[in-house]
Amino acid sequence: MRCRAKENAMSFFISLAAGACLALGAATPLFAEELSGKQKVEIEKVVHDYLIANPEVVREAIDELGKREKVAEAATREKAVGQHGDKIVNSPNQAVVGNPSGDVTLVEFFDYNCGYCKQSMASVAKLIEADPKLRVVLKDFPILGPDSVEAAQVATAARMQLDSQKFWEFHRKLLTTRGHIGKQQALAAAKDVGADMPRLEKDMSSAETKAALKEVATLADELRFDGTPAWVIGKEAIVGGVPYAQLKAKIENMRKCGKSVC
């Protein structure tokens, strides 16, 4: 990310210098024509020398570029939430824990092998325990390899037969398991909470399971989610770990003003 930003900054300064030269010499045919190779070299040298003498300008440009990209990314995600909001919040292809009739919904896209998802587990559990009106939607988004995919298949099959409380127990058990998570660990967690194992093994490879995971992957793509955990609350979509206090504040804001940020 940083390398690309530097390249963009250099291109910006070269373009700026070229534009200034064109503006100053617009009255002559020389500058009305496309810049020659020699002129480009000269402009690049001017820009190079300026940046060497004023390196802080590059950092300022990179910082500004980053701010603009974040604003554009947030706008794109907000638009996607508006377009796919019902499927994000109310799809039958997801687990709902906490209060299924809660007044605020927090959506988490997660991977059972994601360390940050495991860290976020404590925050989500604390929110549910402290807030009886909170509805939490859990969406399997396995992006960390074949084992994550198999764990998600087991979880999806488990969700089809377990009630909300039992699935939450399964989910917590799996996300708090130490080490790498794959099919065997997921099956063991499902068995521990009393799942019908023959049915679960069958449902793992069912068309319904495949469709459910595909739906989540498609939504994540629309939301420009490239990592986990990722969150949706109200019209806001966020990628990355969010501290408990910030999640709590966003939930309170939803009740206060109908937006995650009042």
Side-chain angles (χ1 to χ4, degrees):
M1 184 68 176
R2 183 173 296 176
C3 290
R4 182 167 62 85
K6 287 183 178 179
E7 291 168 0
N8 288 344
M10 178 63 78
S11 298
F12 167 76
F13 283 113
I14 291 172
S15 298
L16 183 63
C21 290
L22 286 170
L24 290 171
T28 67
L30 174 63
F31 287 96
E33 300 293 331
E34 184 178 351
L35 289 175
S36 68
K38 181 179 179 182
Q39 289 169 327
K40 288 179 181 178
V41 170
E42 290 174 350
I43 290 171
E44 289 176 2
K45 185 178 186 308
V46 170
V47 174
H48 173 272
D49 291 347
Y50 177 80
L51 296 180
I52 292 298
N54 303 275
E56 68 279 1
V57 175
V58 176
R59 183 172 296 281
E60 291 172 7
I62 292 171
D63 290 344
E64 179 61 26
L65 180 64
K67 291 177 184 177
R68 294 184 186 185
E69 287 179 339
K70 285 183 178 179
V71 169
E73 190 174 69
T76 297
R77 287 175 175 157
E78 183 173 329
K79 182 179 178 181
V81 171
Q83 291 175 335
H84 306 284
D86 189 59
K87 191 171 286 187
I88 292 170
V89 175
N90 297 315
S91 171
N93 296 318
Q94 62 191 21
V96 177
V97 296
N99 185 342
S101 301
D103 61 348
V104 174
T105 297
L106 174 67
V107 182
E108 181 185 8
F109 289 67
F110 68 93
D111 183 308
Y112 282 113
N113 280 304
C114 167
Y116 294 108
C117 297
K118 293 182 179 183
Q119 291 177 17
S120 296
M121 177 74 255
S123 295
V124 175
K126 187 176 178 180
L127 287 168
I128 290 175
E129 290 166 6
D131 189 343
K133 296 190 294 182
L134 179 64
R135 177 176 182 265
V136 177
V137 169
L138 301 172
K139 290 184 179 289
D140 281 284
F141 183 35
I143 59 173
L144 299 177
D147 283 346
S148 290
V149 172
E150 290 187 345
Q153 290 170 338
V154 174
T156 302
R159 187 254 307 160
M160 292 178 189
Q161 62 171 277
L162 298 175
D163 61 26
S164 176
Q165 179 109 14
K166 281 292 184 182
F167 183 82
W168 178 232
E169 185 181 343
F170 162 84
H171 179 75
R172 292 185 69 173
K173 185 181 291 288
L174 202 52
L175 264 184
T176 54
T177 298
R178 297 185 65 180
H180 199 69
I181 304 298
K183 180 179 178 180
Q184 296 308 314
Q185 291 82 359
L187 287 173
K191 185 176 181 179
D192 285 348
V193 300
D196 179 336
M197 299 309 290
R199 176 185 168 188
L200 188 145
E201 292 268 12
K202 180 180 177 182
D203 287 342
M204 278 180 57
S205 57
S206 69
E208 186 178 352
T209 292
K210 292 176 183 176
L213 293 176
K214 182 178 180 180
E215 178 183 284
V216 176
T218 300
L219 284 173
D221 185 58
E222 293 287 344
L223 291 162
R224 303 295 190 267
F225 286 166
D226 56 0
T228 54
W231 315 83
V232 176
I233 180 166
K235 293 184 178 180
E236 185 180 11
I238 314 159
V239 177
V242 180
Y244 169 80
Q246 288 186 27
L247 288 174
K248 185 173 184 291
K250 290 180 184 297
I251 292 165
E252 291 173 350
N253 286 339
M254 288 297 297
R255 294 190 175 113
K256 180 181 178 182
C257 65
K259 298 185 293 184
S260 60
V261 179
C262 293

